[in-house]
Amino acid sequence: GDRYTGYGPSEYCNQPCDGDSSEICGGDFAMSVYRKSFSYVGCFADTNHRDFPYAMDFPGSNTVEKCHIECKQRGYKYFGMQVGTQCYCGNGFGMYGTSTDCTMRCAGDSSEICGGLWSNSIYKMADSDVTPPPVPPTAVPTPPPTPVPTSSILPAPPSTNVPTAVPTSTPETSVPSSLPTTNVPDTSSPETSVPGSPPNVSTSPKTVAPNTTVTAVPETSVPGPDPAPVPHGQPSYIGCFNVAGFPLVSNSPNMT
């Protein structure tokens, strides 16, 4: 029909179709309403020089709806099926006239006809389904690299082999562990006895130098300036977290 909203929508379209239980075919006093977006034109002949420019093949899955969707996505006005598995798209047809050989079942749905030998079952898209095909992006050519003149290329300098210096070992000098002992003769004056003097009195008494005590001067510690107090930096704020995110320790000195 031309209208379907006389009694409003329904929630009872829940019964599977008798021919295909994967589809829903209405319910009690409820209809599954569809709007067909394509219409059948007829059966037309084809040759090696195809009537339609765009061709696809769907062995085992080709249906009228599948071919319709494929050609709709590509922006064509017409689509057709041939030999049960092939799908064709184009914006014009009929170069070879009509045919009576559209008798082959669709590979994906045996209840539909998908052309025949050198024959296309042709359908027309609804005007709302026809959209221009997407424009391919324009390729931007890449400029060729700029050649570098050979005169500006300097040859690599030859490698100079510098002989490796061999370290010269210094002969070891033997130092004697101990110096020989040298006997120094005694140069002290012998004692001279003067007559008439008491015995055992020497005219040149020995002078004994008094012991000099060296007192170490204690080091004086000069106090330096007190180190400047290091200011405590302000703590950086991380965020506010839920208490449940950390375990509570009962024996912590900071917990009450």
Side-chain angles (χ1 to χ4, degrees):
D2 296 330
R3 57 186 180 85
Y4 52 89
T5 58
Y7 301 103
S10 173
E11 299 178 356
Y12 297 103
C13 290
N14 51 20
Q15 295 187 13
C17 300
D18 291 340
D20 187 349
S21 60
S22 65
E23 296 178 345
I24 298 298
C25 288
D28 292 338
F29 293 99
M31 292 186 299
S32 298
V33 179
Y34 292 84
R35 181 179 62 186
K36 202 169 187 179
S37 59
F38 54 87
S39 58
Y40 181 68
V41 177
C43 182
F44 289 80
D46 201 2
T47 67
N48 286 332
H49 301 285
R50 297 297 183 178
D51 203 14
F52 283 145
Y54 195 88
M56 294 166 284
D57 192 30
F58 303 111
S61 63
N62 194 32
T63 63
V64 175
E65 181 62 27
K66 183 175 183 65
C67 187
H68 161 247
I69 293 174
E70 295 292 336
C71 295
K72 174 184 175 180
Q73 291 176 348
R74 290 163 175 80
Y76 289 103
K77 295 180 180 180
Y78 300 94
F79 67 96
M81 287 73 63
Q82 189 174 143
V83 296
T85 63
Q86 296 175 0
C87 173
Y88 293 88
C89 310
N91 291 323
F93 64 93
M95 289 190 298
Y96 308 110
T98 60
S99 173
T100 58
D101 294 330
C102 293
T103 58
M104 299 183 69
R105 302 288 179 176
C106 297
D109 187 350
S110 60
S111 66
E112 297 177 339
I113 297 296
C114 285
L117 292 174
W118 299 111
S119 300
N120 287 324
S121 297
I122 296 180
Y123 291 79
K124 179 183 178 182
M125 298 280 187
D127 293 338
S128 59
D129 287 349
V130 178
T131 56
V135 179
T138 304
V140 178
T142 303
T146 304
V148 180
T150 56
S151 59
S152 63
I153 300 177
L154 300 178
S159 59
T160 304
N161 295 325
V162 179
T164 304
V166 179
T168 304
S169 59
T170 304
E172 297 180 357
T173 303
S174 177
V175 179
S177 59
S178 61
L179 298 176
T181 305
T182 305
N183 295 323
V184 180
D186 187 4
T187 59
S188 60
S189 300
E191 296 179 356
T192 305
S193 299
V194 179
S197 299
N200 297 329
V201 177
S202 177
T203 59
S204 57
K206 295 182 179 180
T207 303
V208 179
N211 293 330
T212 303
T213 302
V214 179
T215 303
V217 180
E219 295 181 359
T220 303
S221 176
V222 180
D226 294 334
V230 179
H232 294 283
Q234 293 295 329
S236 58
Y237 181 70
I238 297 177
C240 182
F241 293 87
N242 195 337
V243 176
F246 296 92
L248 296 179
V249 181
S250 59
N251 59 354
S252 174
N254 295 327
M255 301 292 294
T256 56

